[in-house]
Amino acid sequence: MGACVADREGELKDLMLRGLGGDAVAWRTLLRQMRGALTPYFKRRLGGMEADAEDLVQECLIAIHAKRATYDRSLPFTAWAYAIARYKLIDHLRRKGARVSIPLEVASVLIAEHTVEDGAIRGDLSRILGILPPRRRRLIEDVRLRGYSIAEAAARNGFTEGAAKVDVHRSMKALSASVAGHED
């Protein structure tokens, strides 16, 4: 993690901890700084629906405020905050029935070299997939993350094609139920 990213994480976490301790000035500062970070986060991901970004920022700040008691002080603050932002974005896109398409020439803006969000996403994904037995986890990783067909993933992981289809369905259902219990 670069020094700038680590410094930013440390600063935001300190504000969060002070805010949890009752420091109203630290809390307002945290929310103001998160507004500045969340606005471009949502605008980059909404491709053509940027007017909704401000609403999502507000929803996210309200969720951070409402869910602040659930923050685990031993974990990075930004991972927790961006997880909330991702859930809010997913909910918003589902409500809209939207599929975002980004022209190829501007897609590079979505592919940063490394951001705090990357670590949060990897951590969330690993934690979520960790509920599955290792063999089923590998099957899901092959089909849903690596792009293998069901037949290819079944062969790679010692499943019949039919069993792989059933296990992918059951695994996705279990993962969805696991995530649904953590949404705002």
Side-chain angles (χ1 to χ4, degrees), residues 7-9 15 27 37 40 44 48-49 51 55 59-60 62 86 96 100 102 106-107 116 136 150 153 156 164 170 176:
D7 292 346
R8 182 78 172 140
E9 167 60 32
L15 289 169
W27 188 249
R44 277 193 314 267
M49 295 186 295
D55 291 340
E59 282 183 39
C60 195
I62 289 168
R86 278 191 311 280
K96 293 273 189 182
V100 177
I102 308 292
V106 295
V116 173
R136 287 175 101 181
I150 293 283
R156 286 173 47 91
R170 288 180 180 163
S176 294

Side-chain angles (χ1 to χ4, degrees), residues 42 60 79 82 94 102 147 161 169 172:
F42 287 123
C60 195
Y82 280 109
R94 283 181 183 152
I102 308 292
E161 190 171 343
H169 174 75
M172 293 305 293

Side-chain angles (χ1 to χ4, degrees), residues 38-57:
L38 291 169
T39 299
Y41 172 85
F42 287 123
K43 283 184 176 181
R44 277 193 314 267
R45 285 157 178 79
L46 287 172
M49 295 186 295
E50 293 175 2
D52 295 338
E54 184 58 31
D55 291 340
L56 281 168
V57 169

Side-chain angles (χ1 to χ4, degrees), residues 1 5-6 8-20 26-27 29-35 37-38 60-61 63-65 67-68 70-86 116-117 120:
M1 180 183 303
V5 172
R8 182 78 172 140
E9 167 60 32
E11 177 186 345
L12 293 173
K13 185 172 183 175
D14 179 60
L15 289 169
M16 176 65 168
L17 295 176
R18 288 181 19 222
L20 289 172
W27 188 249
T29 303
L30 173 70
L31 293 178
R32 191 170 35 257
Q33 289 191 19
M34 286 307 299
R35 169 188 291 283
L38 291 169
C60 195
L61 293 176
I64 287 171
H65 181 74
K67 299 288 186 180
R68 67 188 181 276
T70 68
Y71 172 64
D72 181 344
R73 295 167 186 250
S74 68
L75 298 175
F77 168 74
T78 51
W80 179 79
Y82 280 109
I84 291 172
R86 278 191 311 280
V116 173
E117 301 160 21

Side-chain angles (χ1 to χ4, degrees), residues 104-170:
L104 189 56
E105 56 274 5
V106 295
S108 64
V109 119
L110 299 175
I111 306 170
E113 289 181 25
H114 176 73
T115 66
V116 173
E117 301 160 21
D118 297 337
I121 291 167
R122 280 192 298 277
D124 286 350
L125 186 58
S126 180
R127 187 172 52 257
I128 290 167
L129 290 175
I131 71 166
L132 297 175
R135 189 167 171 235
R136 287 175 101 181
R137 177 182 177 153
R138 285 190 306 270
L139 181 65
I140 288 295
E141 288 171 341
D142 281 353
V143 172
R144 299 296 180 158
L145 301 177
R146 295 185 185 105
Y148 287 101
S149 70
I150 293 283
E152 293 168 328
R156 286 173 47 91
N157 292 285
F159 287 87
T160 65
E161 190 171 343
K165 285 179 184 177
V166 169
D167 270 14
V168 166
H169 174 75
R170 288 180 180 163

